[in-house]
Amino acid sequence: MILLDGKIASQSVKDELLLQVKKLKEEHKRVPHLAAILVGNNGASETYVASKVKNCSEIGFRSSLIRFDSDVNEDELLTAIIKLNNDEAIDGILVQLPLPKHISEQKVIETISPTKDVDGFHPINAGKLVQGFPVFVPATPYGVMLMLEHFNIDTQGKNAVVIGRSNIVGRPMSVLLSGNHKYGNCTVTICHSHTKNLEEICSQADILVSAIGNPGMIKANMVKQGAVIIDVGITRVDDATAVKGFRIKGDVDFNDVATKASALTPVPGGVGLMTIAGLLKNTMKAYLNK
Ligand code: GUN
């Protein structure tokens, strides 16, 4: 079985970006600049945003973290986004989701300029992705595609099953896998909470992408012999023996599924790292598009 190691694949993306940034610096040009907005202090969001900022600095990008209390009003947040839209020094903007209930995520997403929308969540970018003209591909499915590319996984004509239909992962993932390109051309089935016979459908998948957020739910009996398994689940599970009091678990029961899979992503150390790689590539793209 091949371990689809996100550390290796994401480092290769970052090495490429590092070289590009080095060249920009040699030419005395400014470097890409990402602005990240974090509302409140959700533990997982804090970790994700901190990691995004850290990775920017590792490859020589600039980043600005803009924080708001969880009771910030919607107008104040939208005004901050508009200011970033108009700021020539900023290339990419992301607002970490989820947001507090009193703020409309849709309004926030639609306020980010599509040219700076490095998460690829704006309906204009989502529409372009569906039509095969992507500008910014949402970072997690983009990261999965970069992972498939790094390990040269053959996808042509394969049966792919995606579990989850969110705008952040499942839906764009299904579009990418079915697209007419080298790491696409799959026959894609999307499963969700109303899917009947989930086990039977999954066990026909040559490529299975799970984005459910239900730790350890995917067992060997749901997996075809020799399948490629991509685990997008990142759930914090209480564990008193862990230093932080929790552990990160994926959707896939790794040891069980490893007995049948031909390739498998670990959690942690798999798709999570690729999400960052996707975001960094999008930020470079936003810079180059200017
Ligand atoms: N929350 C979970 N995943 C993401 C992501 O890729 N981008 C943003 N902005 N928020 C998220």
Side-chain angles (χ1 to χ4, degrees):
M1 187 203 72
I2 303 168
L3 183 73
L4 301 174
D5 190 331
K7 274 194 218 101
I8 294 171
S10 67
Q11 194 56 53
S12 130
V13 172
K14 282 162 64 179
D15 287 347
E16 220 174 273
L17 289 168
L18 201 67
L19 283 179
Q20 271 180 288
V21 173
K22 197 167 162 248
K23 203 152 163 264
L24 292 174
K25 281 184 177 161
E26 279 165 9
E27 292 165 358
H28 303 291
K29 294 200 178 121
R30 72 178 187 90
V31 296
H33 188 165
L34 175 72
I37 297 182
L38 177 60
V39 180
N41 48 14
N42 173 289
S45 292
E46 292 261 7
T47 307
Y48 296 147
V49 171
S51 177
K52 290 171 184 180
V53 166
K54 179 168 164 270
N55 274 272
C56 277
S57 109
E58 277 172 14
I59 60 160
F61 284 9
R62 281 191 67 191
S63 67
S64 300
L65 173 57
I66 299 139
R67 301 192 66 132
F68 291 96
D69 290 337
S70 57
D71 61 356
V72 64
N73 77 46
E74 193 178 85
D75 278 347
E76 200 181 329
L77 183 58
L78 298 181
T79 302
I81 295 170
I82 293 165
K83 204 169 152 214
L84 293 169
N85 285 343
N86 295 329
D87 186 341
E88 282 285 314
I90 300 291
D91 300 290
I93 302 168
L94 75 84
V95 179
Q96 189 64 27
L97 304 179
L99 291 170
K101 293 243 172 335
H102 67 280
I103 296 172
S104 158
E105 287 190 354
Q106 196 58 24
K107 257 196 207 168
V108 164
I109 287 168
E110 290 187 17
T111 300
I112 298 171
S113 163
T115 61
K116 296 190 178 186
D117 168 38
V118 284
D119 264 326
F121 295 162
H122 193 288
I124 288 183
N125 287 325
K128 284 188 177 171
L129 179 70
V130 171
Q131 294 190 342
F133 309 109
V135 180
F136 301 114
V137 177
T140 298
Y142 189 15
V144 171
M145 298 309 282
L146 292 169
M147 175 84 97
L148 296 176
E149 189 178 335
H150 182 87
F151 290 97
N152 198 20
I153 302 288
D154 181 19
T155 60
Q156 301 292 313
K158 305 284 184 190
N159 283 333
V161 171
V162 177
I163 318 179
R165 56 180 163 184
S166 71
N167 288 337
I168 296 181
V169 184
R171 222 175 273 280
M173 189 77 255
S174 68
V175 171
L176 289 164
L177 287 170
S178 62
N180 187 2
H181 44 80
K182 185 163 180 210
Y183 295 94
N185 287 327
C186 293
T187 303
V188 180
T189 305
I190 307 183
C191 299
H192 45 74
S193 52
H194 290 255
T195 296
K196 296 196 172 97
N197 306 325
L198 182 67
E199 185 180 322
E200 190 187 325
I201 295 169
C202 289
S203 59
Q204 287 166 21
D206 301 307
I207 298 167
L208 178 64
V209 181
S210 181
I212 357 175
N214 189 345
M217 186 184 133
I218 307 295
K219 307 270 185 211
N221 65 328
M222 301 172 77
V223 168
K224 183 177 171 179
Q225 188 69 45
V228 173
I229 313 291
I230 309 287
D231 190 351
V232 183
I234 301 181
T235 308
R236 289 181 170 201
V237 177
D238 290 342
D239 183 344
T241 66
V243 178
K244 292 181 177 166
F246 64 85
R247 268 182 211 288
I248 302 294
K249 292 263 183 201
D251 292 345
V252 176
D253 183 333
F254 187 93
N255 291 332
D256 196 27
V257 167
T259 59
K260 279 174 108 178
S262 65
L264 175 55
T265 61
V267 175
V271 173
L273 299 173
M274 298 312 294
T275 296
I276 306 254
L279 173 71
L280 296 174
K281 273 185 82 93
N282 279 342
T283 305
M284 177 58 91
K285 201 172 198 181
Y287 170 93
L288 295 173
N289 282 348
K290 259 193 179 168

